[in-house]
Amino acid sequence: MDDTPVDPLIKRAVANAVMERASLELNKLLVELAEALNPFPNFLGIGSIKAVEVEPSGVSNPDNGCVVVCPDGELRELVLRMIPGPFDMGGVEQTDEMAELDLPPGEYVAYAYAAVQELLELLEAQQARQ
């Protein structure tokens, strides 16, 4: 048995490097998959928003709001607002905004992996229809 003591600082640096590498690789994969989806899906049937909602199982953080993957492969928070509008058009107008996300590496990896799984399912379904 190896009696060399474990240096927590070194192990933390190794873990951070592994997480950074995973983040970079998942980001590349997301970009590739998003580019392959043609057409990129609408968010909940709303024609003006191209996005796919991402819900990582067991890791979702409610402070992040509605996390989506966009056609460029980036993860963003979709902020939908309902504002009073002309009565003859239903009385309500919708605005949407794609906010940048600043996720810690562990959360990013969880969301990115869930996004990869969602995009793969959509891509498989598109290819099956062709």
Side-chain angles (χ1 to χ4, degrees):
M1 182 167 193
D2 188 6
D3 289 333
T4 307
V6 172
D7 185 340
L9 292 176
I10 291 174
K11 296 302 181 187
R12 182 173 288 120
V14 169
N16 289 340
V18 167
M19 194 62 70
E20 183 65 29
R21 175 66 186 242
S23 296
L24 291 171
E25 293 298 322
L26 284 167
N27 184 262
K28 284 187 219 176
L29 188 54
L30 278 175
V31 169
E32 181 181 344
L33 291 171
E35 288 174 353
L37 281 170
N38 188 15
F40 198 88
N42 295 329
F43 180 76
L44 297 178
I46 302 170
S48 63
I49 303 173
K50 301 278 187 198
V52 175
E53 187 170 9
V54 178
E55 282 286 330
S57 58
V59 191
S60 181
N61 181 346
D63 293 338
N64 292 332
C66 180
V67 177
V68 296
V69 60
C70 298
D72 62 0
E74 292 297 320
L75 295 177
R76 293 189 176 86
E77 180 183 5
L78 174 60
V79 180
L80 292 175
R81 290 186 178 88
M82 301 304 230
I83 56 174
F87 181 74
D88 60 339
M89 300 203 44
V92 177
E93 288 185 22
Q94 172 185 300
T95 65
D96 58 83
E97 173 189 340
M98 294 290 183
E100 295 295 321
L101 279 175
D102 186 23
L103 298 172
E107 277 186 51
Y108 178 83
V109 167
Y111 277 97
Y113 182 76
V116 164
Q117 297 306 311
E118 289 290 329
L119 295 185
L120 285 170
E121 285 182 26
L122 291 168
L123 189 59
E124 288 170 344
Q126 276 186 359
Q127 289 175 347
R129 288 191 297 268
Q130 294 177 355

